[in-house]
Amino acid sequence: MVVSRTTTESKEPVSSTFGSRYVRTALPKYEIGESSIPKDAAYQIIKDELMLDGNPRLNLASFVTTWMEPECDKLIMDTINKNYVDMDEYPVTTEFQNRCVNMIARLFNAPLGDTQTAMGVGTVGSSEAIMLAGLAFKRNWQNKRKAEGKPYDKPNIVTGANVQVVWEKFARYFEVELKEVKLSEGYYVMDPEKAVEMVDENTICVAAMLGSTLTGEFEDVKRLNDLLVKKNEETGWNTPIHVDAASGGFIAPFIYPELEWDFRLPLVKSINVSGHKYGLVYAGVGWVVWRTQHDLPDELIFHINYLGADQPTFTLNFSKGSSQIIAQYYQFIRLGFEGYKNVMENCRENMLVLKEGLEKTERFNIVSKDVGVPLVAFSLKGQSFHSEFEISEMLRRFGWIVPAYTMPADAQHITVLRVVIREDFSRTLAERLVGDILKVLHELDTLPSKISRKMGAEDFGNVKGKKVEREKLTDVIVGWRKYVMDRKTMNGVC
């Protein structure tokens, strides 16, 4: 028998990561450590801490895709090391983007012939897409004003108060006044009549939402177009429309094909859509397409040649991954029109199931509409000393992330909960959610108001006074919101 002896130069015993010193040693959090650690230990430490994150598929606050087929996951990993901006190095990836742009433009009924190429670009979500579209409108308006010898230093955009925060970012970053149409109770989208009244000679565009973030409702782009056509004829301003179809752009063509909101309307000059929402791709990819090449000023397009060949580029950033663009192309050829239609119809059916379940509780008012993005926005009925914020907080114990929020001006006294129905939200999950909401309601019914237990009367007003019912409810909502905000701490990271 041969007797052998093994030796190792490592001072660490041969054991699992959990048997090593790395699980009992605090690692630096805000500075780089002095020494390396084994790869398996680094992986396990990070993976363990990530367990404390929420489950993406139970995050009903988000419109962003949280599931894709394993084949597409593999394609993403196969191409994750490709930098999209290297068009000369990766010509096939560039071609895939061009194909996607043309597919989307034709889906939105762009006036293109069989051999014509669409004008558009892939972006890092709809935020960048809106910035690019806004810059194009601003430059076109400035060029027109200069040619007429008129001032061009006070551009504005007309929107509803329900727009996503990116519009406020664009206005602030690029010095454009944002003129918002206020909301009202029961009407939570932009009123076309009020919007057109706010248009003046300095308006670079009117931005309409195909799928409000607050309620999922589609704004009446057709009505807006018709009113604006009439005003343009009277004034000679030729004010255009941009459609923010971040959420609804991959829904309306498949289940509401008769709805006129896109390039079928003559004043719609550009449209953005999020591939990472109902385009069914992981974050983050977006798209912006223009009606014609003339709607995108040439001076905004840059040409570079230091990556191998002349490359036109119109983006806010430079480098970005190719994998999401390839994933979008996969979904287009994998699903086709039929596949997208089936997914969107399923989302709508599951939305109706959830809505019906909530209505049967007789505890909620449904704020959202049946036609629009498949989501359910709902609020508590009548007077209650518990709030939507408490329901949101207690649902987290079941794993659900359901946001509660107040409406913008002038409907800020309305508080709602919102559940977004995505591709991977099944009927079984919808029924389970209703059951968990009933459990939360039952528990709240047995408890005193959380506000009265956590705060003094001075923090939310004397609700025992002789106030009308709405004033009482408003005091409770404001008080609870203050309580929630007071609990939040900032970590110094923006």
Side-chain angles (χ1 to χ4, degrees):
M1 180 178 70
V2 177
V3 178
S4 62
R5 178 181 298 174
T6 60
T7 61
T8 177
E9 296 179 359
S10 173
K11 296 181 181 180
E12 287 293 324
V14 179
S15 62
S16 70
T17 299
F18 292 113
S20 69
R21 62 184 173 89
Y22 300 103
V23 298
R24 65 178 186 270
T25 302
L27 298 178
K29 292 183 175 64
Y30 305 114
E31 60 183 17
I32 297 177
E34 294 183 2
S35 58
S36 305
I37 68 173
K39 58 185 179 182
D40 56 341
Y43 170 81
Q44 193 66 55
I45 290 169
I46 295 172
K47 183 178 180 181
D48 289 350
E49 196 163 357
L50 285 172
M51 290 192 302
L52 299 174
D53 267 348
N55 183 336
R57 290 187 59 185
L58 297 182
N59 180 7
L60 306 182
S62 177
F63 293 81
V64 176
T65 297
T66 53
W67 179 87
M68 296 189 75
E69 292 177 324
E71 291 79 8
C72 195
D73 288 347
K74 188 175 186 303
L75 272 177
I76 289 172
M77 294 311 300
D78 289 345
T79 57
I80 203 167
N81 59 348
K82 289 186 178 181
N83 185 1
Y84 172 74
V85 76
D86 294 333
M87 300 179 187
D88 186 58
E89 184 72 17
Y90 309 122
V92 175
T93 300
T94 302
E95 173 63 17
F96 284 173
Q97 185 217 230
N98 294 339
R99 292 178 188 177
C100 287
V101 166
N102 280 272
M103 290 177 182
I104 294 168
R106 285 174 167 80
L107 184 68
F108 296 166
N109 294 294
L112 298 169
D114 293 338
T115 60
Q116 284 184 290
T117 301
M119 177 61 73
V121 65
T123 59
V124 185
S126 276
S127 292
E128 184 187 11
I130 286 169
M131 298 283 184
L132 298 179
L135 286 171
F137 281 117
K138 181 179 179 181
R139 185 57 58 92
N140 279 331
W141 175 82
Q142 287 176 327
N143 289 343
K144 182 175 181 290
R145 298 283 289 182
K146 289 178 183 178
E148 295 171 348
K150 297 179 180 178
Y152 54 90
D153 60 334
K154 294 182 179 179
N156 69 66
I157 288 179
V158 175
T159 70
N162 57 309
V163 291
Q164 216 266 357
V165 69
V166 64
W167 286 98
E168 297 178 34
K169 288 184 177 181
F170 170 77
R172 190 176 303 177
Y173 294 169
F174 295 102
E175 298 181 326
V176 176
E177 180 189 1
L178 195 65
K179 300 172 69 175
E180 294 184 337
V181 179
K182 303 302 182 184
L183 309 185
S184 59
E185 185 171 349
Y187 195 87
Y188 303 117
V189 292
M190 179 177 69
D191 185 322
E193 280 79 7
K194 293 180 180 178
V196 173
E197 287 175 4
M198 296 175 70
V199 170
D200 59 31
E201 62 180 349
N202 293 321
T203 302
I204 64 176
C205 76
V206 180
M209 296 279 288
L210 192 77
S212 170
T213 303
L214 302 175
T215 63
E217 189 175 350
F218 293 163
E219 292 183 342
D220 192 345
V221 188
K222 176 70 164 58
R223 177 66 175 159
L224 175 65
N225 178 86
D226 294 347
L227 291 171
L228 205 50
V229 165
K230 184 178 180 181
K231 184 159 188 172
N232 285 339
E233 290 174 351
E234 295 171 353
T235 61
W237 291 339
N238 199 29
T239 305
I241 296 172
H242 174 85
V243 179
D244 181 354
S247 300
F250 283 124
I251 296 172
F254 301 107
I255 57 177
Y256 307 113
E258 73 288 348
L259 184 68
E260 293 184 59
W261 62 273
D262 52 19
F263 292 122
R264 285 171 288 183
L265 303 175
L267 291 183
V268 174
K269 302 300 182 181
S270 57
I271 302 171
N272 69 277
V273 65
S274 291
H276 62 224
K277 292 183 179 177
Y278 289 93
L280 308 181
V281 177
Y282 296 137
V285 60
W287 304 91
V288 56
V289 289
W290 284 269
R291 184 183 191 87
T292 68
Q293 293 187 0
H294 302 293
D295 296 307
L296 175 58
D298 288 336
E299 62 261 38
L300 294 181
I301 301 174
F302 290 82
H303 293 265
I304 59 171
N305 61 11
Y306 45 79
L307 292 175
D310 179 67
Q311 299 173 7
T313 175
F314 181 39
T315 58
L316 293 182
N317 65 305
F318 193 65
S319 296
K320 68 178 177 181
S322 298
S323 54
Q324 262 67 18
I325 289 173
I326 292 166
Q328 184 76 83
Y329 184 61
Y330 170 89
Q331 292 290 55
F332 284 167
I333 65 171
R334 163 77 176 95
L335 296 175
F337 193 95
E338 177 189 29
Y340 270 93
K341 186 173 187 291
N342 290 339
V343 169
M344 302 311 155
E345 286 179 342
N346 283 344
C347 288
R348 186 175 186 277
E349 288 299 316
N350 289 328
M351 177 268 289
L352 293 175
V353 168
L354 177 61
K355 176 190 172 186
E356 181 181 351
L358 292 170
E359 287 176 330
K360 285 181 178 179
T361 69
E362 299 183 347
R363 300 289 295 273
F364 298 106
N365 291 314
I366 305 300
V367 177
S368 52
K369 307 295 184 183
D370 288 349
V371 175
V373 177
L375 63 80
V376 183
F378 53 104
S379 60
L380 285 165
K381 281 186 176 180
Q383 181 187 6
S384 173
F385 289 110
H386 295 285
S387 74
E388 290 82 0
F389 294 100
E390 287 180 271
I391 294 174
S392 175
E393 182 182 43
M394 293 181 70
L395 280 173
R396 285 180 177 263
R397 290 190 287 178
F398 297 93
W400 303 107
I401 300 174
V402 177
Y405 53 88
T406 55
M407 291 293 188
D410 289 329
Q412 59 266 44
H413 60 284
I414 303 297
T415 304
V416 298
L417 294 148
R418 188 194 68 207
V419 174
V420 177
I421 310 300
R422 298 190 301 271
E423 176 189 17
D424 54 355
F425 187 83
S426 65
R427 176 165 184 160
T428 300
L429 288 178
E431 293 172 348
R432 182 61 179 263
L433 175 59
V434 173
D436 289 341
I437 289 174
L438 283 171
K439 293 176 186 177
V440 167
L441 290 172
H442 177 72
E443 184 173 349
L444 285 174
D445 288 341
T446 64
L447 296 174
S449 168
K450 191 164 186 177
I451 297 174
S452 64
R453 290 185 287 119
K454 292 292 184 180
M455 302 187 304
E458 68 276 10
D459 292 319
F460 62 91
N462 181 16
V463 297
K464 295 181 180 179
K466 295 181 179 179
K467 295 186 175 183
V468 297
E469 298 302 311
R470 178 177 291 179
E471 288 176 324
K472 291 181 181 180
L473 181 58
T474 300
D475 280 344
V476 173
I477 291 171
V478 171
W480 176 250
R481 196 188 325 162
K482 180 180 183 299
Y483 167 65
V484 172
M485 294 303 297
D486 287 345
R487 291 180 56 198
K488 293 183 178 180
T489 57
M490 301 298 291
N491 60 8
V493 179
C494 179

